[in-house]
Structures are given as structure tokens and as C-alpha cells.
Amino acid sequence: MSEVALLQVIGLCIVGIGVAILLFIQARFVRVVGFVVIVLGIFALVALGVPQMASLPPAEEKFDVASIKTAADMAAIGQKIFFSKGQCALCHSIGPSESARCPDLKGIGAKLTREFIYESLTQPQAYIYLDFRHEGPPKEYPARMPYINKNPIGLTKNEILSVIAFLQQMSGEPITVSPSEIEQAGSPAQPAAQPQKVAALIPAHGR
């Protein structure tokens, strides 16, 4: 007997006990308890009758370097990463969306350079948003973007370049990311870029 079936049997027993109390017990307080038991038992049976779905993490896209021949191949992989491992679609949309919590990325590849996109993904706190929509000094809003190259997302440089290729392609722009930039397994890793100072205040750039 499965766990759900066992719980359903227990729920039926509880409902039966409640019905028996209402039929054979005259004390008011005990009858109220019996009624509450029946309601809770029925509620549990209904809840157990709802099909159960296992909560599984999204499938992780594998970055197959050998399959990359063109920039379009990188964009195809970047699209998969955008909607899966990269978790970009959890906050951003491509096109208007009422459920998106962050800026629409449609056409972003035509508005921003690949260098700026890369930096926005790996050093999101390097820039701040200045709000001039009121009197007095502008209010500062640091970016709420996570570091896409660190845990828990942890995209590799190859994966980030592929996401940039996807953003450029879906914006109708030429893909400036080249397959020759893909780091092969075992190749020496490039040194990490040093964080920039936040002193350089940049006006709103779509974040």
C-alpha cells in the first residue's frame, strides 16, 4: 500500500469516528468535536485526492563544445541556458509580460554592447541606477541582479558568452561572439576581472 493510500484509509477512519460520535453520543461538546473531526477528515481526503507532482530541479543544459561550429550554435545554446540553468526567465521577459519582475530584454542586444552585457551579468553592482524623477539629489538604486557567474547560478564564461549571443540574435543584431572565444576543457582559465568602482555613476540603462 502506498503512503497516499495509507493516509486516505486513516482519513476515512477519522471521518467514520466522527460520524459514529454524531450518531451515538449525545453530549454537545463531544458532538462538536465529532463534527470538527468529520470536516478535517473530509478536507484531508480531498487534499490527498489531488494528483501529486514531484518537485524536481530544472534539467541542466550541457555545454557541448564539440557541437559548436558557428555563432548561431552558441545562440541556440544560450537560449536554452537563458530559460533553464541561467534562470534569467524567472525575472526577465522577452517582450511585454505582466508577470516579469525585471526589465523586458527584448531588443537588449541592440541597445547594449556585448562588453556591457557581460559586465552586467558578472559585476551587476558595478553600476547604479539614478532616479531623477523628483526634486533634490537623485536617489540611487543598486542593481538587484545576482552574480550570474557565482553560486547558486554559476554560469561559466562559455555559457555567459552563449547567452550574450542569444540576446544579440533575438534582437536582430549580428552576433559578435565568436566560437573561437570558447574555452576548451583543460585550457588555462582567464583571470577574473577586477570589480570596478561604483564612483562612476551611470544614468539609467534599462535595469
Side-chain angles (χ1 to χ4, degrees), residues 169-206:
Q169 184 185 61
M170 67 92 177
S171 301
E173 290 294 306
I175 300 175
T176 60
V177 180
S178 170
S180 62
E181 299 177 66
I182 295 296
E183 293 180 349
Q184 303 293 329
S187 61
Q190 297 296 322
Q194 297 298 320
Q196 291 188 337
K197 295 182 179 179
V198 187
L201 303 184
I202 303 298
H205 54 74

Side-chain angles (χ1 to χ4, degrees), residues 13-153:
C13 292
I14 292 175
V15 172
I17 292 173
V19 172
I21 291 175
L22 291 182
L23 291 177
F24 301 106
I25 304 297
Q26 297 301 319
R28 178 174 297 178
F29 175 76
V30 180
R31 289 173 65 85
V32 170
V33 172
F35 177 77
V36 172
V37 167
I38 292 175
V39 172
L40 293 178
I42 293 175
F43 178 80
L45 289 174
V46 171
L48 292 171
V50 176
Q52 304 295 309
M53 295 182 64
S55 179
L56 300 175
E60 182 173 329
E61 295 293 339
K62 293 185 178 179
F63 197 96
D64 186 5
V65 176
S67 67
I68 298 174
K69 306 297 181 186
T70 65
D73 295 337
M74 294 184 65
I77 293 177
Q79 182 177 11
K80 295 178 181 178
I81 295 173
F82 184 93
F83 291 101
S84 58
K85 181 181 177 182
Q87 305 180 27
C88 312
L90 292 179
C91 300
H92 294 282
S93 64
I94 299 178
S97 173
E98 295 182 355
S99 60
R101 297 176 294 171
C102 296
D104 176 7
L105 296 185
K106 184 177 182 180
I108 200 71
K111 300 175 183 175
L112 305 177
T113 65
R114 56 168 283 181
E115 291 79 13
F116 190 92
I117 297 176
Y118 188 91
E119 189 176 49
S120 297
L121 295 174
T122 58
Q123 302 180 53
Q125 300 299 322
Y127 295 91
I128 60 175
Y129 172 81
L130 297 180
D131 186 359
F132 294 91
R133 296 175 298 180
H134 56 84
E135 296 182 356
K139 294 183 179 179
E140 300 180 356
Y141 295 95
R144 292 178 295 175
M145 272 281 296
Y147 290 86
I148 211 77
N149 57 334
K150 298 180 180 179
N151 289 328
I153 300 176

Side-chain angles (χ1 to χ4, degrees), residues 161-175:
L161 291 177
S162 296
V163 171
I164 294 174
F166 165 63
L167 294 176
Q168 291 178 330
Q169 184 185 61
M170 67 92 177
S171 301
E173 290 294 306
I175 300 175

